[in-house]
Amino acid sequence: MDQGVLPVILCGGSGSRLWPLSTAERPKPFHPIAGDETLLQATVRRLAPSPAAPFLPPIIVCAAAHEDLVRAQLRAIGVRPAMILTELEPGGTALAVACAVRAAMEIAPDAAVLIAPADHRIEKPQDFRAAVMTAAGGASDDIVLFSARPETPETGYGYIRAGAARTGGLHRIDRFVEKPERETAEAMIAQGDWGWNMGLFLGRPAVFQDQIARHAPRVAARAEAAWSGARRRGSRVTLAAAPGPSVSLDRAVIEHSDRLAMVACDLGWRDVGCWNALWSASGRDRADNHLKGAATAVESSGCLVWSGGPPVAVIGMTDVVVVSTPSGVLVMPRSRAQEVGALSGVLPVRVFNSAVDELGSAPQQDAPHDLHRPPLDLR
């Protein structure tokens, strides 16, 4: 911990369950979903250095197509990253982390590395920073996970059961289960000793490398190929293609590792992965409606109404989601929010992936955080 904490911010994924706001061209981290700043900008600000939290300039991992967005949004808040690793094709978080810790070995081999997704919402940033410092102080030769008290039986999260207490405010991990079935998640919550895995991981670069090599040797080999064949220019490292299946760090390493610890924390954490999760995490009016932009709800309750352009109004509706952006319009019951990603197999690819409307019209020039949105080429 004497050498500080080096953040590795994973800025990948398509955020398909938040269509039509999130698209492949402009995914979830690049939108101001939970405030005035984008999720990426809010993540980077949480990791700004201070005397009590000696964070180093971050490493950003993103798709090559999103590098301009990353640089523009970081420049807008006055942050210069230590390095930007760009992927020519997505390989999953296991490969992204394996490459990032190679970078960390060059930049700060003795620092603790914090793996942090760019698309989470944390309502208590000071408590978050304190939890990271606790984890860094007690990590030793383990990978530390961060656990939040579960509120509902979510099937899209991993679950952690705390084991024996360790010094420094950490616990051993008795068991880790990634994305259980709903009945299993309900039973875990009823037991009372399970927490949500927040998707944050902290450890020394050498520890990450050891555990990836031990439990995911194919991922380690792909990372070696991607890193050794990378092209460098300034702070940009374009990783070489490393074909293989997309696999998460959780599945490839964390589920199998015996070098795990955890810190339990109450940070107001949310993985805003779908429209219902956004409704749950957002401020609402007396009728339980969350309204964004030029949105109106009359005699309606439990609704999320989001307008990214012309006015949108609902009358006499209950528990529905209505979203209108330049990329499309979505109307559905809130209870079916997890199914939005399936639209990728129904809508034309150019419509689902585009960050503009079907005719390719440009966004309004004064749209907030619209730092880069290329037009759709229909030729």
Side-chain angles (χ1 to χ4, degrees):
M1 220 277 279
D2 292 342
Q3 301 300 317
V5 176
L6 174 59
V8 170
I9 299 175
L10 305 181
C11 197
S14 63
S16 59
R17 290 175 296 165
L18 281 174
W19 186 87
L21 180 69
S22 177
T23 66
E25 288 184 0
R26 190 183 179 89
K28 179 172 57 169
F30 302 109
H31 291 277
I33 291 176
D36 294 332
E37 293 184 325
T38 68
L39 292 175
L40 170 62
Q41 290 171 324
T43 300
V44 172
R45 279 201 189 277
R46 282 196 298 272
L47 297 168
S50 72
F55 290 110
L56 303 176
I59 296 171
I60 312 291
V61 186
C62 67
H66 300 147
E67 182 188 356
D68 288 348
L69 271 172
V70 168
R71 290 191 181 278
Q73 293 199 353
L74 296 192
R75 189 163 53 245
I77 59 173
V79 172
R80 178 175 294 181
M83 187 179 290
I84 295 182
L85 302 184
T86 64
E87 298 177 298
L88 297 176
E89 55 189 31
T93 56
L95 181 60
V97 170
C99 292
V101 295
R102 295 291 296 266
M105 290 293 288
E106 289 189 4
I107 295 171
D110 296 323
V113 171
L114 174 69
I115 309 298
D119 57 359
H120 289 180
R121 178 178 181 179
I122 292 178
E123 298 174 354
K124 303 175 182 178
Q126 290 302 114
D127 291 347
F128 164 74
R129 293 154 69 87
V132 172
M133 291 303 109
T134 296
S140 186
D141 291 329
D142 289 330
I143 296 174
V144 181
L145 282 64
F146 296 72
S147 174
R149 180 180 295 276
E151 300 172 359
T152 56
E154 295 288 341
T155 58
Y157 299 163
Y159 286 72
I160 307 168
R161 184 164 65 189
R166 288 180 22 169
T167 57
L170 304 184
H171 284 76
R172 287 287 178 191
I173 290 181
D174 180 61
R175 192 179 173 199
F176 177 88
V177 177
E178 174 69 355
K179 296 180 180 179
E181 298 293 332
R182 184 173 182 84
E183 289 185 2
T184 303
E186 290 174 345
M188 289 175 173
I189 290 179
Q191 290 173 18
D193 55 354
W194 290 83
W196 282 335
N197 172 31
M198 294 169 57
L200 299 160
F201 307 94
L202 183 142
R204 293 188 297 108
V207 174
F208 278 109
Q209 284 192 320
D210 172 77
Q211 292 299 286
I212 292 169
R214 179 178 302 181
H215 300 293
R218 292 183 180 178
V219 171
R222 290 168 62 198
E224 170 63 27
W227 186 257
S228 61
R231 302 191 309 272
R232 299 190 180 214
R233 183 177 179 180
S235 63
R236 175 205 299 152
V237 176
T238 302
L239 299 169
S246 178
V247 58
S248 71
L249 182 71
D250 309 69
R251 291 287 192 195
V253 177
I254 302 302
E255 281 191 326
H256 312 289
S257 178
D258 59 356
R259 289 173 61 178
L260 301 177
M262 60 161 280
V263 56
C265 38
D266 175 15
L267 308 178
W269 171 83
R270 294 289 188 279
D271 178 4
V272 188
C274 70
W275 288 109
N276 188 51
L278 178 59
W279 174 86
S280 297
S282 300
R284 301 189 292 276
D285 62 20
R286 287 180 293 180
D288 246 5
N289 298 309
H290 174 66
L291 308 177
K292 178 79 170 185
T296 302
V298 177
E299 296 181 3
S300 299
S301 63
C303 298
L304 183 150
V305 187
W306 184 295
S307 171
V312 175
V314 298
I315 301 175
M317 305 300 291
T318 302
D319 298 338
V320 300
V321 170
V322 180
V323 181
S324 174
T325 78
S327 300
V329 177
L330 173 70
V331 181
M332 67 176 177
R334 239 184 344 98
S335 61
R336 301 187 66 174
Q338 293 285 355
E339 301 175 38
V340 174
L343 291 174
S344 62
V346 178
L347 292 173
V349 172
R350 64 186 176 89
V351 173
F352 191 79
N353 289 339
S354 174
V356 294
D357 65 16
E358 188 171 350
L359 297 178
S361 61
Q364 296 179 5
Q365 294 302 309
D366 59 350
H369 306 289
D370 227 342
L371 300 175
H372 178 69
R373 185 180 287 190
L376 180 64
D377 187 355
L378 297 180
R379 294 176 294 178

